[in-house]
Amino acid sequence: MTEMKFVYLFEEGQADKKALLGGKGANLAEMTNIGLPVPPGLTLTTDTCNAYFKAGKVFPQGMEKQLWEKLADVEKKIGKTFGDVNDPLLVSVRSGAPISMPGMMDTILNLGLNDETVKGLISATDNPRFSLDSYRRFIQMFGDVVMGVEHGKFEEALEKQKKAQGAKEDKDLNADSLRALIDEYKQIVTREAGEDFPVEPRLQLLKAIEAVFASWFSPRAAVYRQINKIPEDLGTAVNVQCMVFGNMGDDSGTGVAFTRNPSTGENVLYGEYLMNAQGEDVVAGIRTPQPIAMLEKDSPAVFGQFVNVCSTLEKHYRDVQDIEFTIQNQKLFVLQTRSGKRTAQAGINIAVDMVGEGLITKEEALLRVAPADLEQVLHRQVDPSVKFDVLATGLPASPGAASGHIVFDADTAQARGNDGDKVILVRTETTPDDIHGIVMAQGILTSRGGMTSHAAVVARGMGKCCVCGCDALDIDLNAKTITVGSTVLRENDLISLDGSTGRVIPGQVPLIDPELSEAFRTFLGWADEVRSLGVYANADTPEDAAKALEMGATGIGLCRTEHMFMQQERLPIVQKMILAGTLEQRQEALDQLLPFQEDDFYGILKAMDGREVTIRLLDPPLHEFLPDMESLVVEVTTLKLTNGDKGKLEELEALLRKVRALHEANPMLGTRGCRVGVQYPEIYRMQARAIFQAAARLKKEGFDPKPQVEIPLVIDPGELTLLRGAIEEEAKLVAGKAGIALECLVGVMLELPRACLMAKELAKHSDFMTFGTNDLTQTALGFSRDDAEGKFLTHYLDHKIFAENPFAVLDLSGVGELMDIAVSRGRSEKTGLSFGICGEHGGDPESVHFCHKVNLSFVSCSPFRVPVARLAAAQAALESK
Amino acid sequence: MTEMKFVYLFEEGQADKKALLGGKGANLAEMTNIGLPVPPGLTLTTDTCNAYFKAGKVFPQGMEKQLWEKLADVEKKIGKTFGDVNDPLLVSVRSGAPISMPGMMDTILNLGLNDETVKGLISATDNPRFSLDSYRRFIQMFGDVVMGVEHGKFEEALEKQKKAQGAKEDKDLNADSLRALIDEYKQIVTREAGEDFPVEPRLQLLKAIEAVFASWFSPRAAVYRQINKIPEDLGTAVNVQCMVFGNMGDDSGTGVAFTRNPSTGENVLYGEYLMNAQGEDVVAGIRTPQPIAMLEKDSPAVFGQFVNVCSTLEKHYRDVQDIEFTIQNQKLFVLQTRSGKRTAQAGINIAVDMVGEGLITKEEALLRVAPADLEQVLHRQVDPSVKFDVLATGLPASPGAASGHIVFDADTAQARGNDGDKVILVRTETTPDDIHGIVMAQGILTSRGGMTSHAAVVARGMGKCCVCGCDALDIDLNAKTITVGSTVLRENDLISLDGSTGRVIPGQVPLIDPELSEAFRTFLGWADEVRSLGVYANADTPEDAAKALEMGATGIGLCRTEHMFMQQERLPIVQKMILAGTLEQRQEALDQLLPFQEDDFYGILKAMDGREVTIRLLDPPLHEFLPDMESLVVEVTTLKLTNGDKGKLEELEALLRKVRALHEANPMLGTRGCRVGVQYPEIYRMQARAIFQAAARLKKEGFDPKPQVEIPLVIDPGELTLLRGAIEEEAKLVAGKAGIALECLVGVMLELPRACLMAKELAKHSDFMTFGTNDLTQTALGFSRDDAEGKFLTHYLDHKIFAENPFAVLDLSGVGELMDIAVSRGRSEKTGLSFGICGEHGGDPESVHFCHKVNLSFVSCSPFRVPVARLAAAQAALESK
């Protein structure tokens, strides 16, 4: 049996050995091997860590021997010897797990110093203050991390010493003060730890290694692993590296830089540095660092080295690098490199540039940008560089940001909006009656209602910023105030909303505008070349449709007709229809609605000329179009007690009776969707007629309308044959009257488990199918969205029962399984049957991946998420290759 | 090619040729062949009917030839000739489809008469009145059925003639009047049909056959076939049979009899007869028929023949027969026999007797009784022999019947019930506050709420009669009146309910008591020998458990704990727990509930000693234990407007805030089931502790308690591990304290689609599983039961989208499919894992069949349905052999 290899010199490792050497160790090895100026060093493997714990916290047999042998190699390289009393080799000891756990684990610098070797350092550097300060820092760090001495004890002594010496900053302490401090530090260690500070450098090193291993099981690391689902048996590697010093004088320094601008993507070095300083000085912010460009003037030779390093690293890693470096006596050392974090806009620009430069392929470029980040580019944003107070946080119901004057009712919002005033409409919750105000407001804020509340749905449809269900706000519509604790906002006060995070901000915050750059278009063009999944949009109006086209949608996957019913001038007719006592009365109201609906469909079909438009027939329960029961009860009770207007009372009582008759215990599972159509076929007939009349008009005008009539909430072929028959009759009637051929395509929305299970039987009568995964999630999981989000779902996420909100990211075990079943059963009846998904999951990247996997024909989402879906679909196609 | 055989003599057919000869024809053939006195005749096959229509309403080639040949055979047999002017053979022509369609199709009697042959009949019978009346009836029947003359025209002429002759009844018309009437009838035919009445008997016969064929496509037959899903291409056979006459004098007669008493099952002939009469005279009820026993005195020889016929038929068909017979001049003829319809009690007694007599096997006996009929035997019933008015019909929420005095509130019900008074509790709807009244009432009547409303669920649990959602009733709780149209019932008026049909009856109706006969026990004992499926009961109290045992349940499949929370003395504590602001306050209330719960479980586990008791932890949303929001709004509004008690107002407003905070848009899909347990683990811990403390007490007393703790509304293994952990901890704590070993079995209720799909993963952490098919139906189909029944579901049943209410009979395509998936996935993880079903489907015979098919371990249903399930399970086992 050959002995296990516990210790690797940097030059023995490489980038793809992260599991064995840790992320940091693997990267240091890679940089060493491509000839970059990395201070030499060695890495103890993660296996060593695991063996150490397995053996009951004992170093595995042979490890120490390997360590000293490899350390000798390092000594040879650097030309110094560990523990040399004339010119000692000092090392840093750092952890490095396979998966980055920033700040979670420990580091020790300047290891190898003691009362003897510090003298050697002084003579070698001719810098007593630097040397003694390094020794002091080492005792402090080692005492804290390895020996468990409370950090504060050292800080106290330091402060006392500074006071005694009248020193303002650490660096103002002279050599004598530092010597005194070092003595005091050693006493503190002996007193607090119960043992003396170890003198022997090799003992120091072994103890430091043990301490780094131990930090893998520190409570904060354990919690971090639990949260991020990092397995405990990965273990950590330990890197032992020769120290270099940026604080050795004015020809030394330290800095951090990106190879390109991470904010804009511009191909120029971006970063800052500080001469005669160590990393922690830059972080502390006591001295102001210089922009990296200044280095060219300060030290052209070093800058030249750095430019070369950057170029080498970017070419080697084929991505923007975020580099930490130190200059020691004019010599550049690279201490770390990693992929540079960047904004969405920068990410796109960099990816496109790098393809242009031949550095990466289009496919690689597409995999470089997180689809969700694209949303940042598409909405107005709160300027991330500005600080502000947050009044309260509600649900992030519709992304984007807005500022404006507070108004408390829709009429005022409309009037002031018409006057060009920017207003935010604040309501406890919105109703169809508020639509005209919502249209004219910059953003919507409500204290009640969830992510599918009226306000949220309408706002998302309009791409308008909305914060919902912000129940920390006490909104008094009569007094026209918003109260949170002692803060009171009044009508006309300025307020800002961040619909992407749910933040409500008092006053006005600076917003930044979206910009669809050329690079953005190029980039998404590549995505379209690669993806096999179609990307459609949800759109209810011609304006939505235009936006959808602009965002790159190639069809409408869901056109909801109920929002058309809710428009201000139509709602009274809709209510008349609902309250109708006879079929004749109902038909009369429907006849009034027909021309409105026809115009709606005409506009959308025209905007989408030549592209499919999936039109869903009326879906919500009829009581959604009537006033709320609770407020009616209050009105009726009040009129009774105050002996109010008898006629009015009777009218309201009649209305209340109807509202009560239509009231449902669980409206989500009640008379809605095609159940309304089964009960009142005349409603669906009117809608079908409107669709076909619009199509006929457009055909005569030379357009190519492609309506697809969709029946919602289907669970049985019986519903489908009944309603399909009625729709086909209407198509024939309209075609006959117009003397024109009209195609009649009818499909179903699969949004209930039974429908998915019966997809084969339903496919016999369907020309297409789309999944309504919002309702499917509600029923498959038994989750009422309105009653789950912000309520029990919070506990489910807290307890990690769910990793994600299933309304945002498709639940694969339940909903995904049903979709998979439906697709295979549906296509077993009709090969190639079109399956789409509409609703918010259609714009979620993870869900889009699943849709690609189960071979859907298209995803459909709100226009603003179309670019997200296009990219996610492309990535899914690339990853499944 | 041999010619097709269109015509069969009766002696050429047999009972198993129903598809070809129709039900009637096959039975006539069978009886002929076993030597019974059946008037000879022939049958035209259903194929003939189909060939006739296929050829465009033309008799198929060769049919007529066969008909006359076979008719000649019949003539030979009877010794008369068709169309003979001296002694003509007369025939009846009747339809006979393969599947009985009672009253749907046409019949013609006395065919073969004309002006000449009637003379022959007169001379042969020496009875002019009889002969002429037969002729008159023939013209009328033929004119109506074959020639399409409106029935009323003949009736008018008849009435006119009777008036002219001063005749009170038809039979008072003398021969001359009949001759005149015959002339007039013929004129009517000529005038109305536009052609003369056919004279030639053969032509009459051919036309009659065509008319019977045509009746297969009559609108009423088509509708009947559609409703009963009878295929159209079955066609009908036509039976041509020699006429026999029960009205030929005092030695003739007609009657109907059962071979055993169909009401009690007693093995004595049961029926009635009338001498000198035809079948229609018996039906018309003008003369009172004699009991069949009288025939022995009237005509011992004929009675002897009849007893022999009955015995032969019963032995041949091995079942009770319902026989139509005619006596013509002392000679008995059998015209029809079929299985006798019987009451449930009679069915059981007959089946048991016949096994005793060696006539049928136990297995055959078990297949003879419809399981659903057993319910009749188990509840008090409205005496079916009594006539009464029905005030209104509501939902048949809980079977059985009750009469009592109307009371409008629970306190009065309790007080008067305690006094031994029989009362019916009438409410618009019931709440947990009404429990004490429900307990003491004979029955419950509500105007609102569906089959799962509080009243319905509680009443079913108690086996108490209940009619729900009877919205025709205008109930005024203040005025204490029930108004329906002009009828007003007041407190203390008598009222009766039939919970099996939903009928509400003013006044008191006679009820009959259930009787569990020895035969019933024997019969169900056989069922238990045969079935492989376990039958458990749902029971929430020791009383329920005792009833369950009495009904033959061998375990409790569902013990709901929420009803325990709703009891009068506990509800205030439960409300305190819900309104608690801190964990401490909540724990304090739970500590108060613990002893109550422990006693509950102690009682049930003791009653079920040695048998499994599945205890479901708290399931409903917490707001169900709080007052209703709408009434609180009214109270608050009233107090505000009337400047009422400030303290009370504040208290109510606080309560209203909590109710509003807990209010849910879709409570069915909200914070209920284990979601309450995840949010408030202390509630589930208290329940678990109560269960194990009860078990520990019983063990010490020498009992063998078998509790199984069930977690409701599970969708994810994460919920299960969390809650199972807590339950196991409680079990350990209790066991440790008691110094006793306690088994801790924990299972899940599968009531959401995702749970079924994830059964494999859930099985890893489950000791058993049961299906909650009520909720599974609600979510798989997206049907809120409260909002479906009596609402859109009505349209679905009307349109035949659903054949059955899916809450009564398992929906196999959706819910059944999910169950099937769950069983196979669950058992793929744990072989032999126990699966049960609880809820109403567990007592529905059709659903029990399915449960047997998918290999469930047991069904569980309300105690009163246990016998139904036992029999259904036995039948399923027999049928799957």
Side-chain angles (χ1 to χ4, degrees), chain A residues 630 660 664-669 671 675 679 719 754 780-782 784 787 792 795-796 811 817 825, chain B residues 630 660 664-669 671 675 679 719 752 754 780-782 784 787 792 795-796 811 817 825:
Chain A
E630 194 183 324
R660 206 170 256 150
E664 296 189 303
N666 297 287
M668 164 66 208
L669 310 175
T671 306
R675 296 163 196 177
Q679 190 163 355
E719 300 164 324
R754 191 184 200 256
L781 277 62
S784 164
D787 302 315
F792 68 82
H795 299 276
Y796 273 60
D811 159 56
E817 173 81 0
R825 291 188 181 178
Chain B
E630 193 184 325
R660 207 170 255 150
E664 297 188 303
N666 297 287
M668 165 66 209
L669 309 175
T671 305
R675 297 165 194 176
Q679 189 164 356
E719 300 164 324
L752 293 170
R754 191 183 199 256
L781 278 61
S784 165
D787 303 314
F792 68 82
H795 299 275
Y796 273 59
D811 159 56
E817 173 80 0
R825 293 189 180 176

Side-chain angles (χ1 to χ4, degrees), chain B residues 8-18 21-39 41-43 77 239 241 309 312-318 321 334-338:
Chain B
Y8 282 71
L9 288 174
F10 288 168
E11 48 269 48
E12 293 176 316
Q14 63 204 57
D16 63 7
K17 283 200 169 147
K18 286 208 171 67
L21 304 177
K24 189 190 294 279
N27 254 340
L28 286 168
E30 188 76 12
M31 289 197 290
T32 303
N33 285 323
I34 61 173
L36 293 181
V38 176
L42 54 86
T43 304
K77 252 191 160 175
N239 299 293
Q241 189 177 21
V309 162
T312 304
L313 278 173
E314 222 191 56
K315 282 202 183 100
H316 185 72
Y317 286 102
R318 304 165 69 240
Q321 295 298 301
V334 184
L335 295 183
Q336 179 154 325
T337 190
R338 56 187 170 194

Side-chain angles (χ1 to χ4, degrees), chain B residues 267-290:
Chain B
N267 191 358
V268 290
L269 289 186
Y270 178 96
E272 44 199 24
Y273 73 101
L274 205 51
M275 295 310 279
N276 197 9
Q278 277 196 311
E280 54 188 13
D281 299 322
V282 180
V283 175
I286 297 163
R287 287 159 61 198
T288 306
Q290 303 285 315

Side-chain angles (χ1 to χ4, degrees), chain B residues 415-709:
Chain B
R416 293 187 52 177
N418 271 331
D419 294 345
D421 210 356
K422 287 186 195 279
V423 298
I424 301 288
L425 178 60
V426 179
R427 305 282 295 162
T428 48
E429 58 201 328
T430 67
T431 73
D433 289 334
D434 296 325
I435 290 281
H436 58 296
I438 294 176
V439 170
M440 299 308 300
Q442 300 297 309
I444 318 301
L445 170 62
T446 71
S447 58
R448 290 194 218 148
M451 298 286 282
T452 50
S453 65
H454 177 260
V457 170
V458 171
R460 273 198 299 274
M462 297 182 184
K464 197 175 287 277
C465 155
C466 176
V467 173
C468 269
C470 187
D471 54 16
L473 306 182
D474 188 354
I475 297 175
D476 188 331
L477 295 175
N478 294 321
K480 302 200 171 182
T481 54
I482 304 172
T483 310
V484 184
S486 59
T487 308
V488 180
L489 296 179
R490 296 173 195 286
E491 191 168 42
N492 230 355
D493 284 354
L494 278 166
I495 196 169
S496 302
L497 306 179
D498 181 353
S500 310
T501 62
R503 290 176 300 179
V504 179
I505 305 148
Q508 187 152 23
V509 290
L511 304 180
I512 50 177
D513 255 339
E515 205 179 301
L516 295 192
S517 62
E518 196 47 44
F520 183 87
R521 291 179 205 281
T522 304
F523 183 76
L524 283 173
W526 297 340
D528 293 343
E529 288 167 18
V530 162
R531 68 184 161 88
S532 56
L533 191 61
V535 178
Y536 285 19
N538 303 338
D540 303 344
T541 64
E543 295 72 35
D544 288 354
K547 180 55 84 180
L549 287 174
E550 188 194 332
M551 291 294 155
T554 54
I556 302 298
L558 175 62
C559 170
R560 285 166 291 233
T561 56
E562 51 268 24
H563 296 143
M564 304 170 181
F565 276 44
M566 286 182 170
Q567 286 180 31
Q568 210 189 359
E569 74 272 34
R570 308 177 187 183
L571 194 57
I573 312 176
V574 172
Q575 292 181 341
K576 214 162 69 185
M577 173 195 74
I578 295 168
L579 298 172
T582 66
L583 176 59
E584 289 65 35
Q585 286 169 5
R586 192 159 45 249
Q587 191 60 56
E588 197 185 309
L590 286 168
D591 290 345
Q592 285 181 270
L593 286 172
L594 177 65
F596 284 115
Q597 283 263 286
E598 186 185 322
D599 283 350
D600 293 331
F601 298 133
Y602 176 88
I604 292 172
L605 290 168
K606 188 171 174 180
M608 296 302 292
D609 185 34
R611 294 178 183 88
E612 288 178 355
V613 178
T614 313
I615 301 170
R616 181 177 72 182
L617 301 183
L618 194 68
D619 183 54
L622 295 180
H623 52 72
E624 277 200 12
F625 300 98
L626 297 180
D628 158 68
M629 183 154 81
E630 193 184 325
S631 54
L632 269 176
V633 167
V634 171
E635 269 191 271
V636 165
T637 307
T638 305
L639 273 173
K640 273 184 181 166
L641 285 168
T642 56
N643 283 317
D645 181 343
K646 283 264 184 291
K648 178 83 183 160
L649 177 60
E650 270 169 32
E651 185 190 312
L652 285 179
E653 280 184 324
L655 184 58
L656 181 56
R657 268 195 298 279
K658 184 75 187 181
V659 169
R660 207 170 255 150
L662 286 176
H663 179 75
E664 297 188 303
N666 297 287
M668 165 66 209
L669 309 175
T671 305
R672 46 174 292 241
C674 71
R675 297 165 194 176
V676 175
V678 167
Q679 189 164 356
Y680 303 113
E682 55 276 14
I683 299 179
Y684 274 19
R685 279 183 181 271
M686 180 279 284
Q687 293 199 295
R689 190 175 303 183
I691 291 167
F692 294 115
Q693 286 183 358
R697 252 166 81 193
L698 284 164
K699 276 207 154 182
K700 287 194 176 169
E701 293 170 15
F703 290 95
D704 178 20
K706 294 197 161 172
Q708 311 211 80
V709 183

Side-chain angles (χ1 to χ4, degrees), chain A residues 642-654:
Chain A
T642 57
N643 282 318
D645 182 343
K646 284 262 184 294
K648 177 83 183 161
L649 176 61
E650 270 169 33
E651 186 189 310
L652 285 179
E653 281 185 323

